[in-house]
Amino acid sequence: MRIFVTGGAGFIGSRFVRGLLADEYTGWEGAQVTVVDKLTYAGKRANLPTGDPRLTFVRGDICDTDLMRDLMPGHDAVVHFAAESHVDRSLASAEPFVRTNVLGTQTVLDAVVAGGVERVVHISTDEVYGSIAEGSWTEEWPLAPNSPYAASKAASDLVARSYWRSHGIDLSITRCSNNYGPYQDVEKLIPYFATSLLQGASVPLYGDGSHVREWLHVDDHCRAIALVLNKGQAGEVYNVGGGNERTNRALTERLLELTGRGWDLVRHVPDRKAHDRRYSLDETKIAQQLGYAPRTPFEQGLADTVAWYRDNADWWRPATTDKDAA
Ligand code: NAD
């Protein structure tokens, strides 16, 4: 078996690839893995092992048509993670988001069609649904993205769906809630707060801190992706939630406890533009149809994650600055 993973040097993609190489996912034991990653600021070659004969790493851009068409033939499946992924960056400049997330997805899928690859999982996000005050989104919920990041992901979902419908690709889409865990770039909330607080630096809390996010450990997300890869239906979307809803204020409180710091290190900063108030996924479909259930309790997963950043300062220290980017 051969599997093609885009964005496999990023946070979630690298966890999935390490899981593949460790034979964690049923049906893919012993598989050869090709990773294509541009190694933007968010990707690190060091997130993947070196010297594993099952791993081929190619530094390249998913928007490179010739490269995608050269590499794709002979693979049994594609898991498409590569994306620009940080909301604040998309507010500063949306161009790389539309380019990579929309044109890149189209380029990958054209190569899938040309190369005759049998199975595709397109990795998306709950942010395509917008914001929800009460209740939870099912997969049928209308798309109403509020940031350029979310809009580019929603557009990529529609491109992906159209390749299933038009070209008959066996393609499924996952929409996951906020992930946390080791190897996440320090610009994202949990690693940024954890690494700043560990160093005794202050952290910025947007607005009144009452925004609600649903958290899922990256190990559970990757297990869900493997389930969808193996058992998901063509043309179907699967929400992947964690069920752990926390306000940013409550999350900050917990991170202060885990790092032994106090509220004096928290700066209140003006709210992000069009900041979504709440995300909440209904994950009944993937639970009932594919037997998915998250395994990592949030409190334990969060404590382990903070401990990982404490123990792996060499991984993150060069990148950390005191910035309002979380
Ligand atoms: P990340 O930013 O950590 O990693 C993205 C990877 O894609 C990086 O390695 C980067 O170098 C690579 N990349 C970017 N542009 C590229 C290009 N043009 N060509 C090739 N490679 C390129 O992101 P992540 O958090 O691991 O997210 C992975 C996927 O999961 C994304 O599609 C994202 O939308 C989705 N997702 C993320 C979360 C989350 O909480 N992090 C939640 C739901 C869905």
Side-chain angles (χ1 to χ4, degrees):
M1 300 289 274
R2 291 184 70 198
I3 185 163
F4 190 95
V5 181
T6 70
F11 166 47
I12 305 171
S14 71
R15 175 62 188 88
F16 187 73
V17 171
R18 292 193 301 277
L20 282 168
L21 296 174
D23 290 338
E24 288 179 24
Y25 308 128
T26 306
W28 296 93
E29 296 88 348
Q32 294 291 319
V33 184
T34 303
V35 168
V36 178
D37 197 296
K38 191 177 175 182
L39 298 184
T40 67
Y41 75 94
K44 286 188 175 64
R45 179 62 184 85
N47 290 349
L48 297 170
T50 47
D52 189 320
R54 288 172 51 195
L55 174 64
T56 303
F57 180 84
V58 179
R59 184 171 191 177
D61 190 332
I62 58 164
C63 300
D64 183 336
T65 302
D66 292 341
L67 181 68
M68 291 302 105
R69 287 195 181 223
D70 282 352
L71 292 174
M72 198 64 80
H75 290 90
D76 299 288
V78 173
V79 183
H80 177 38
F81 292 95
E84 289 289 343
S85 69
H86 190 44
V87 172
D88 284 339
R89 285 178 183 260
S90 78
L91 297 172
S93 172
E95 192 273 341
F97 288 75
V98 174
R99 181 182 177 278
T100 286
N101 299 359
V102 186
L103 296 178
T105 296
Q106 167 247 308
T107 307
V108 168
L109 294 178
D110 277 339
V112 163
V113 173
V117 178
E118 287 184 4
R119 178 84 181 118
V120 180
V121 179
H122 172 68
I123 307 301
S124 191
T125 168
D126 59 358
E127 300 195 29
V128 298
Y129 297 118
S131 185
I132 189 165
E134 291 175 358
S136 302
W137 294 299
T138 62
E139 289 81 357
E140 284 73 39
W141 211 270
L143 303 186
N146 290 320
S147 70
Y149 161 65
S152 67
K153 292 298 293 187
S156 74
D157 287 15
L158 297 181
V159 170
R161 183 183 185 283
S162 79
Y163 273 67
W164 158 68
R165 194 83 177 106
S166 303
H167 298 291
I169 300 176
D170 182 357
L171 176 147
S172 305
I173 296 171
T174 60
R175 293 191 182 133
C176 189
S177 59
N178 280 33
N179 282 217
Y180 71 98
Y183 297 95
Q184 186 171 29
D185 190 272
V186 292
E187 71 180 355
K188 300 287 171 57
L189 194 151
I190 288 178
Y192 180 54
F193 276 33
T195 56
S196 297
L197 294 171
L198 285 169
Q199 296 175 98
S202 67
V203 293
L205 185 62
Y206 278 129
D208 60 5
S210 64
H211 303 84
V212 175
R213 296 293 179 263
E214 181 179 4
W215 293 96
L216 180 71
H217 195 279
V218 66
D219 290 1
D220 287 320
H221 185 192
C222 288
R223 266 194 288 274
I225 292 167
L227 269 179
V228 172
L229 177 64
N230 289 338
K231 300 202 284 184
Q233 298 297 303
E236 293 293 321
V237 175
Y238 297 91
N239 288 342
V240 187
N244 298 298
E245 291 187 30
R246 297 282 186 287
T247 63
N248 286 345
R249 192 175 172 81
L251 180 62
T252 301
E253 174 81 41
R254 192 70 195 108
L255 289 168
L256 290 169
E257 287 166 9
L258 288 167
T259 54
R261 305 292 183 185
W263 278 97
D264 55 307
L265 284 182
V266 180
R267 285 176 285 126
H268 292 273
V269 298
D271 208 353
R272 173 191 269 169
K273 286 182 193 169
H275 202 175
D276 291 333
R277 296 298 302 179
R278 176 172 173 262
Y279 299 144
S280 181
L281 287 170
D282 182 328
E283 59 182 12
T284 308
K285 181 175 174 179
I286 193 170
Q288 290 188 349
Q289 295 185 10
L290 306 188
Y292 165 75
R295 294 182 191 162
T296 313
F298 182 70
E299 290 298 329
Q300 188 60 51
L302 190 65
D304 291 348
T305 299
V306 171
W308 187 87
Y309 283 96
R310 180 182 287 121
D311 296 342
N312 290 276
D314 289 349
W315 184 88
W316 55 264
R317 201 179 286 279
T320 318
T321 54
D322 185 21
K323 58 187 178 183
D324 290 345

